[in-house]
Amino acid sequence: MDDTIILSTRDMNLYYGAHHALKNVNIDIPERQVTALIGPSGCGKSTFLKSLDRMNDLIPNVKITGSIQYRGQEIYDSSVDVTWLRKQIGMVFQKPNPFPMSIYDNVAYGPRTHGVRSKSKLDDIVEKSLQGAAIWDEVKDRLKKSALSLSGGQQQRICIARALAVEPDILLMDEATSALDPISTSKIEDLIADLKQQYTIVIVTHNMQQATRVSDKCAFFLLGDLIEFGDTTQLFSVPRDKRTEDYITGRFG
Ligand SMILES: Nc1ncnc2c1ncn2[C@@H]1O[C@H](COP(=O)(O)OP(=O)(O)OP(=O)(O)O)[C@@H](O)[C@H]1O
Ligand SMILES: [Mg+2]
């Protein structure tokens, strides 16, 4: 089966002032698969993820060179509408960060921002998104309650529902389960497996078992270099690079 490439970078470099954080990164991320980014702390995983939906635009002194394309379009082109790009490419963070408002309003927030006013339409979106994030049954009787009253694992699924509500194309997840207990983590891993039927997912994880459980493709970064990228089964069974092997066998990082 041929992979359709949805995101690709060519000779991508990123500098924070004088610090060269990503070096000549070339990667092709396939559609409707899960790609995991792994590597030791500080190797550039979050930096790479944030450059895909232009979150780094908010940081002063960032310079990016080379090409980053989403469905064939240069995302740093001046003609690109960043609001549109961030609707296409949603992000879920490490710490659940629901807004201090009701469960319903959290999920309806994005659609309202994009102009949806009809109550019945919003009701539909909220239900569908909460179902998509596998939390509808747990919250359907208390949609007007504060999202902050939920457990961490539930809050993270609310954040996933909030991301799904604007019907993104791609979901980026930066260590989205590292603050969660094992049961919530396994719920979110199951959810990722379901979501990839419909979405392209890029995750960052420090958990090698998680990478092997949920990802199809895996990218290993070290000090800003993309050392190895390939099928997860191949990368974990017969890594091509000695440094990949040392990392996945726990010799450093
Ligand atoms: N806003 C910033 N300004 C300057 N340097 C930064 C900034 N953000 C990150 N860096 C530096 O860029 C490098 C990559 O950081 P990044 O956060 O992408 O790493 P990471 O792989 O996500 O690490 P971790 O696993 O700890 O989350 C690090 O050396 C970091 O100190
Ligand atoms: Mg990080």
Side-chain angles (χ1 to χ4, degrees):
M1 190 185 77
D2 277 346
D3 294 337
T4 303
I5 301 307
I6 188 166
L7 282 166
S8 67
T9 73
R10 288 294 174 271
D11 299 327
M12 177 210 174
N13 288 275
L14 186 145
Y15 305 82
Y16 292 112
H19 179 64
H20 195 176
L22 291 171
K23 302 168 186 165
N24 283 313
V25 176
N26 292 290
I27 197 167
D28 283 323
I29 294 176
E31 185 178 31
R32 291 185 194 190
Q33 295 189 29
V34 179
T35 296
L37 313 180
I38 62 168
S41 187
C43 69
K45 304 177 298 293
S46 297
T47 298
F48 181 76
L49 210 63
K50 284 187 280 186
S51 62
L52 300 177
D53 71 349
R54 291 187 55 171
M55 293 293 277
N56 292 317
D57 286 16
L58 310 170
I59 303 168
N61 299 319
V62 170
K63 188 178 134 201
I64 296 177
T65 64
S67 163
I68 308 179
Q69 294 192 349
Y70 160 61
R71 293 196 182 280
Q73 185 165 15
E74 284 296 338
I75 66 166
Y76 283 85
D77 214 90
S78 57
S79 63
V80 168
D81 175 353
V82 179
T83 307
W84 168 82
L85 182 75
R86 295 199 188 126
K87 182 192 164 304
Q88 301 308 115
I89 307 181
M91 175 89 90
V92 177
F93 297 91
Q94 176 172 14
K95 273 178 59 194
N97 61 347
F99 302 137
M101 51 179 79
S102 72
I103 294 167
Y104 185 100
D105 288 342
N106 261 275
V107 183
Y109 188 91
R112 280 178 175 140
T113 312
H114 289 98
V116 181
R117 289 281 168 269
S118 144
K119 164 101 170 60
S120 67
K121 202 175 247 173
L122 285 170
D123 287 353
D124 284 350
I125 295 172
V126 168
E127 176 170 348
K128 194 166 143 243
S129 306
L130 289 167
Q131 271 170 349
I135 190 167
W136 171 250
D137 290 337
E138 286 161 70
V139 299
K140 62 175 191 276
D141 300 323
R142 45 175 165 156
L143 295 176
K144 294 291 165 197
K145 291 258 163 61
S146 169
L148 299 176
S149 68
L150 300 171
S151 74
Q154 289 173 325
Q155 289 187 13
Q156 194 63 305
R157 280 177 287 144
I158 295 296
C159 294
I160 294 171
R162 187 176 65 191
L164 298 181
V166 296
E167 302 190 316
D169 199 6
I170 301 175
L171 211 51
L172 309 175
M173 305 175 103
D174 195 347
E175 300 188 51
T177 64
S178 65
L180 305 181
D181 65 273
I183 291 173
S184 305
T185 296
S186 116
K187 277 191 187 157
I188 290 188
E189 288 184 6
D190 291 346
L191 176 58
I192 291 172
D194 285 343
L195 291 174
K196 80 169 178 185
Q197 313 298 323
Q198 206 182 333
Y199 305 93
T200 301
I201 299 172
V202 185
I203 65 165
V204 169
T205 182
H206 279 280
N207 182 326
M208 297 303 108
Q209 283 75 33
Q210 179 167 76
T212 54
R213 280 193 299 262
V214 305
S215 73
D216 303 289
K217 294 279 191 300
C218 190
F220 170 58
F221 285 86
L222 187 61
L223 293 171
D225 286 304
L226 176 58
I227 303 294
E228 183 161 348
F229 175 61
D231 287 336
T232 300
T233 40
Q234 174 264 312
L235 188 139
F236 278 92
S237 55
V238 275
R240 281 188 287 263
D241 195 288
K242 176 78 167 57
R243 293 164 293 181
T244 312
E245 184 179 349
D246 286 350
Y247 182 71
I248 62 177
T249 55
R251 261 178 277 238
F252 66 87

